[in-house]
């Protein structure tokens, strides 16, 4: 028996040093510290933020165009991340939260799986062949009969499955990061610095999307078929342009594997112990016997879950959390599309707004929340009251979602063709009725400052190449008296929108208020349950937040966009992409859903504040 205990103690001594298996030399023990653990795990959170909350969300409109997806489908693709977390949370938090478990092993393995997910997510770009835009083969008026048979019907079902499964693996890999990673830092950090460590950790998780959006803005200027020359008649200003969305995921896959290795080297406990000096004490032996005799089993799981959910403060904080999850996941997934469709922003402007303003404001809010907890030593009820105050303040800024820029003047939709009345607007007019145009979205801006959905519907008879841009000539529908001036340029007509700056300002203020409640809400969750149930409580909260919040959130917001669609692609019966949206409907739907959910969230925090608790640490 004592020999067995001696073997266990030697194994414990080895496991408490930094390294891999039995490769734990003294020269690398400098990495056995909370600060290095914070750095390594934070890099995993950074990569997750870049790939999932940055690149994926930024490129959702681009991926929709590339694989002809509806917003509901892209919302489900985004939500597959949270479906994976929903499935994995209980087993990972229960087994990984045991005293005998090595949390860094779960975290490091998860980061590797996340890297595999990024690789699979990028794979459809290589399997789909050269990109053909919705405007490919879009004919001029006189060329219709020559090019009718050039239309191709693509089936991207398998590619869509790969996208969903790749993001699913993102969720599997990230699950230990934001459950076990939080408790590992909370357990090993000094008590008076725990909130700062968690604040820095979540700060890296927020910087990730910032890098992802800015990097996405750069990659969006590179054609998707890089390094091939690409489409000579398209440029980033064209609505059918598809940027090099896949390249960033390849970088994330490589980076995830690189940083998973040092995470796997962390010991399960970073606190000082005499065993590190080679002294195996009797108390250590007795502790090993206790741990050895309490191997985790599923038999104790129901009782542990019951002990957690009996804490009413935890229950209502969790309910508030899933409300916030609906907004964060839905808005996060479609923020770029909101700016693009509701405000008419270009890809580069969207990247600048989100990467340089919205995400840093969220980061600032997180730091404020952590700083207030540390400075004022907030108790449990005070944290809940602070969260309630931030949510109420954020509701006043939601009014910005009701704003939208005037719609682009599209002939046949918003303005009539010459000879038509406002009541009888139609795409077919006397100037293009003989063209028999196919429904393709290849917008051109006429000399009359009206946008036409394609050169054919503008009645254009010829074209000429000017650099990488196309100019269409002899456009019969362009309402200009001189035939020499009846031309159209190959992009939608630009428009000015003064409300854009008001929207961005309110968005930044909203981000500060909403994310200021992040660290207080997380800390309140940890303080609302017993010490031994922290990991399980985080897991239960994440399951509920995903089941009722972050999983349906992107799908709900995607459906709102689909309901606001007024023109679908020719293959809409197969779930094609929407070509034209009603901006007023988008703003009405988004503002109403966010304001309603925020009101319910504030109600849950109010109830949580008045519920009594016997835990005050």
């Amino acid at each position: 028996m004592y020999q067995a205990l001696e073997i266990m103690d030697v194994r414990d001594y080895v496991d408490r040093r930094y390294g891999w298996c039995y490769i734990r030399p003294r020269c690398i023990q400098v990495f056995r510290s909370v600060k290095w653990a914070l750095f390594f795990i934070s890099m995993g959170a950074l990569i997750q933020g870049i790939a999932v909350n940055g690149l994926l969300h930024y490129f959702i409109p681009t991926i929709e165009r590339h694989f002809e997806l509806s917003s509901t489908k892209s919302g489900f693709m985004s939500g597959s991340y949270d479906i994976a977390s929903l499935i994995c949370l209980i087993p990972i938090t229960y087994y990984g939260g045991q005293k005998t478990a090595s949390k860094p092993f779960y975290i490091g393995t998860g980061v590797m799986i996340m890297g595999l997910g990024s690789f699979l997510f990028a794979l459809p770009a290589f399997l789909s062949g050269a990109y053909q835009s919705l405007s490919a083969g879009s004919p001029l008026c006189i060329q219709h009969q020559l090019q009718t048979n050039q239309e191709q019907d693509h089936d991207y079902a398998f590619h869509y499955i790969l996208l969903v499964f790749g993001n699913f693996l993102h969720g599997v890999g990230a699950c230990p990061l934001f459950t076990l990673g939080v408790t590992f830092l909370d357990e090993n950090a000094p008590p008076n610095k725990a909130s700062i460590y968690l604040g820095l950790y979540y700060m890296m998780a927020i910087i990730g999307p910032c890098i992802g959006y800015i990097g996405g803005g750069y990659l969006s200027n590179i054609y998707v078929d890089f390094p091939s020359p690409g489409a000579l008649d398209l440029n980033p200003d064209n609505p059918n342009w598809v940027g090099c969305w896949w390249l960033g995921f390849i970088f994330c896959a490589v980076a995830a594997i690189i940083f998973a290795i040092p995470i796997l080297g962390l010991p399960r406990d970073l606190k000082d112990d005499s065993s590190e000096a080679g002294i195996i004490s009797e108390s250590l032996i007795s502790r090993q016997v206790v741990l050895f005799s309490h191997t985790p089993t599923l038999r104790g799981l129901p009782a542990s879950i019951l002990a957690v959910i009996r804490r009413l403060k935890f229950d209502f904080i969790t309910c508030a959390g899933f409300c916030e999850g609906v907004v964060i996941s839905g808005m996060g997934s479609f923020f770029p599309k909101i700016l693009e469709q509701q405000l008419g922003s270009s890809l580069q402007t969207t990247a600048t707004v989100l990467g340089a303003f919205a995400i840093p404001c969220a980061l600032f809010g997180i730091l404020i929340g952590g700083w207030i907890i540390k400075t004022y030593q907030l108790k449990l009820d005070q944290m809940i009251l602070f969260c309630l105050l931030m949510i109420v303040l954020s509701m006043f800024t939601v009014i910005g979602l009701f704003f939208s820029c005037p719609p682009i003047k599209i002939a046949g939709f918003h303005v009539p063709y010459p000879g038509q009345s406002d009541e009888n607007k139609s795409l077919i007019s006397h100037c293009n009725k003989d063209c028999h145009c196919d429904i393709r979205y290849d917008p051109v801006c006429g000399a009359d400052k009206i946008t036409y959905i394609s050169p054919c519907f503008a009645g254009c008879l010829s074209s000429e190449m000017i650099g990488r841009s196309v100019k269409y000539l002899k456009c019969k529908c362009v309402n200009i008296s001189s035939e020499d001036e009846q031309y159209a340029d190959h992009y939608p007509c630009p428009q000015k929108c003064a409300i854009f700056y008001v929207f961005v300002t309110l968005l930044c203020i909203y981000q500060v208020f909403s994310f200021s409640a992040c660290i207080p809400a997380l800390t309140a969750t940890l303080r609302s349950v017993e010490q031994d149930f922290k990991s399980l409580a985080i897991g239960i909260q994440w399951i509920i937040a995903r089941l009722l919040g972050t999983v349906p959130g992107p799908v709900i917001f995607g459906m709102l966009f689909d309901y606001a669609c007024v023109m679908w692609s020719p293959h809409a019966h197969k779930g094609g992409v929407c070509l034209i949206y009603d901006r007023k409907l988008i703003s009405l739907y988004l503002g109403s859903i966010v304001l309603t959910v925020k009101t319910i969230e504030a109600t849950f925090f109010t109830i949580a504040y008045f519920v009594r608790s016997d835990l005050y640490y």
Side-chain angles (χ1 to χ4, degrees):
M1 177 179 177
Y2 287 103
Q3 184 177 5
L5 289 176
E6 183 178 355
I7 293 174
M8 289 172 58
D9 293 330
V10 172
R11 184 178 300 170
D12 180 77
Y13 166 71
V14 172
D15 289 345
R16 290 175 58 82
R17 292 172 63 84
Y18 185 87
W20 308 267
C21 297
Y22 290 97
I23 305 175
R24 304 174 187 265
R26 184 181 298 272
C27 60
I28 64 172
Q29 297 311 307
V30 65
F31 297 112
R32 188 191 177 278
S33 68
V34 181
K35 293 181 179 179
W36 278 109
L38 174 65
F39 172 74
F40 293 141
I41 298 176
S42 295
M43 292 307 296
L46 178 72
I47 296 169
Q48 184 272 344
I50 294 174
V52 179
N53 298 327
L55 292 173
L56 192 151
H57 290 169
Y58 176 80
F59 280 121
I60 275 183
T62 300
I63 294 172
E64 286 180 0
R65 284 193 292 270
H66 193 169
F67 300 107
E68 299 182 12
L69 303 178
S70 66
S71 293
T72 303
K73 278 191 172 183
S74 61
F76 180 78
M77 177 192 71
S78 178
S80 63
Y81 171 90
D82 296 296
I83 294 175
S85 297
L86 180 64
I87 296 173
C88 299
L89 272 171
I90 284 294
I92 286 178
T93 54
Y94 182 67
Y95 287 105
Q98 301 294 329
K99 293 181 179 179
T100 53
S102 172
K103 292 183 179 67
F105 172 78
Y106 286 89
I107 298 169
T109 303
V111 173
M112 279 198 169
I113 294 175
M114 192 169 62
L116 176 61
S118 291
F119 174 76
L120 287 180
F121 195 86
L123 194 58
F126 300 94
L127 300 179
S128 61
Y131 167 67
Q132 292 188 7
S133 71
L134 293 174
S135 65
S138 180
L140 294 171
C141 181
I142 61 174
Q143 295 176 326
H144 173 76
Q145 294 181 354
L146 298 176
Q147 299 188 10
T148 299
N149 297 326
Q150 294 182 4
E151 179 180 345
Q152 296 184 9
D153 190 1
H154 299 284
D155 186 2
Y156 293 116
F158 178 69
H159 304 81
Y160 177 68
I161 292 174
L162 283 179
L163 292 172
V164 171
F165 186 64
N167 202 31
F168 181 88
L169 290 184
H170 281 150
V172 173
C175 181
L177 268 175
F178 297 103
T179 53
L180 301 181
V182 170
T183 54
F184 183 73
L185 295 174
D186 186 66
E187 292 168 355
N188 291 279
N192 62 332
K193 295 182 179 180
S195 62
I196 295 298
Y197 275 64
L198 292 178
L200 291 172
Y201 177 65
Y202 277 92
M203 177 185 73
M204 297 301 290
I206 295 297
I207 290 178
C210 182
I211 297 175
Y213 281 123
I214 295 176
Y218 173 76
L219 293 175
S220 65
N221 291 317
I222 304 174
Y223 192 64
V224 63
D225 292 329
F226 167 84
S228 64
L232 296 177
D233 59 340
L234 292 179
N235 58 63
D237 294 327
N238 191 291
N240 294 302
W241 172 270
V242 170
C244 191
W245 60 270
W246 53 268
L247 188 57
F249 291 99
I250 297 295
F251 289 145
C252 288
V254 175
I257 295 175
I258 291 175
F259 282 101
I261 296 174
I263 294 176
L264 290 170
L266 291 168
R268 68 180 179 219
D269 187 3
L270 296 175
K271 295 178 180 178
D272 293 332
D273 193 278
S274 58
S275 64
E276 288 193 14
I279 302 174
I280 303 175
S281 63
E282 184 178 351
S283 63
L284 180 60
I285 295 177
S286 62
R287 180 167 61 86
Q288 290 291 338
V289 174
V290 173
L291 293 178
F292 183 75
S293 62
H294 286 80
T295 303
T297 63
L298 286 175
R299 184 176 301 176
L301 181 58
S304 300
I305 293 176
L306 183 61
V308 171
I309 63 177
R310 288 176 62 184
R311 295 293 179 184
L312 292 181
K313 277 191 179 291
F314 167 81
D315 295 338
F316 286 107
I317 293 172
T318 300
C319 289
F322 84 70
C323 291
E324 186 67 20
V326 171
V327 177
I328 288 180
S329 62
M331 292 285 288
S333 297
F334 291 98
F335 245 146
K337 194 161 189 173
I338 292 172
L339 293 176
E340 176 185 337
Q341 298 297 337
Q342 191 170 337
L343 301 177
S345 301
S346 64
L347 291 173
Q348 199 62 47
T349 302
T350 299
T352 302
V353 169
L354 295 176
F357 294 100
I359 303 301
C361 287
L363 172 60
F364 181 64
I366 287 180
L367 294 178
I368 288 178
W371 177 80
I372 287 179
I373 291 179
K374 181 180 184 298
T375 302
Y376 296 99
Q377 299 295 312
L378 299 185
K379 300 296 184 181
L380 178 57
D381 286 338
Q382 293 172 326
M383 295 178 194
I384 296 174
L385 188 61
F386 178 79
C387 293
L388 175 61
L389 176 63
M390 293 298 102
I391 296 303
V392 171
L393 291 175
S394 70
M395 291 170 62
F396 289 100
T397 64
V398 173
I399 189 176
L401 290 176
F402 290 97
F403 298 154
S404 63
C405 294
I408 298 175
K409 296 180 180 180
I410 300 179
F413 279 97
H414 306 102
V415 295
Y417 275 90
Q420 293 181 346
S421 63
D422 288 333
E423 293 77 15
N424 298 314
K425 293 190 294 291
S426 173
L427 288 176
I428 305 299
S429 178
H430 70 277
C431 59
N432 59 27
K433 65 180 181 179
D434 296 329
C435 299
H436 306 289
C437 304
D438 292 330
I439 302 295
R440 296 180 180 274
Y441 191 60
D442 187 20
V444 294
C445 180
D448 55 355
K449 305 304 178 184
I450 301 296
T451 298
Y452 301 85
I453 69 167
S454 73
C456 182
F457 279 99
C460 300
L461 302 177
S462 62
S463 64
E464 64 178 359
M465 202 76 178
I466 303 177
R468 292 192 62 181
S469 299
V470 181
K471 188 171 185 178
Y472 296 95
L473 307 173
K474 300 180 181 179
C475 302
K476 297 183 294 181
C477 296
V478 175
N479 193 16
I480 298 293
S481 57
S482 174
E483 184 176 342
D484 294 336
E485 296 181 2
Q486 287 184 319
Y487 64 86
D489 296 314
H490 198 193
Y491 52 79
C493 294
Q495 63 174 162
K496 296 181 179 180
C497 182
I499 204 69
F500 175 82
Y501 300 100
V502 178
F503 181 93
V504 172
T505 301
L506 291 175
L507 168 65
C508 291
I509 298 174
Y510 171 86
Q511 293 286 87
V512 173
F513 286 146
S514 289
F515 283 87
S516 292
C518 179
I519 297 301
L522 174 63
T523 309
T525 299
L526 295 173
R527 301 297 182 263
S528 63
V529 298
E530 286 79 1
Q531 190 79 16
D532 294 339
F533 297 132
K534 284 185 176 182
S535 294
L536 184 60
I538 291 292
I540 293 174
Q541 186 181 74
W542 274 52
I543 284 180
I544 296 175
R546 273 149 179 71
L547 183 63
L548 301 177
T550 57
V551 169
V555 178
I556 293 172
F557 277 69
M559 292 174 63
L560 296 181
F561 273 95
D562 287 343
Y563 289 149
C565 181
V566 295
M567 178 180 173
W568 290 90
S569 67
H571 308 301
H573 62 283
K574 293 189 175 182
V577 63
C578 180
L579 303 179
I580 301 176
Y581 291 94
D582 187 321
R583 290 182 174 179
K584 291 184 178 180
L585 282 180
I586 291 177
S587 61
L588 178 62
Y589 291 158
L590 291 178
S592 299
I593 189 68
V594 173
L595 189 60
T596 301
V597 173
K598 282 288 184 179
T599 302
I600 299 174
E601 180 182 1
T603 302
F604 282 130
F605 271 125
T606 302
I607 298 174
Y609 175 75
F610 287 104
V611 170
R612 295 186 59 184
S613 174
D614 56 354
L615 299 177
Y616 292 98
Y617 61 92

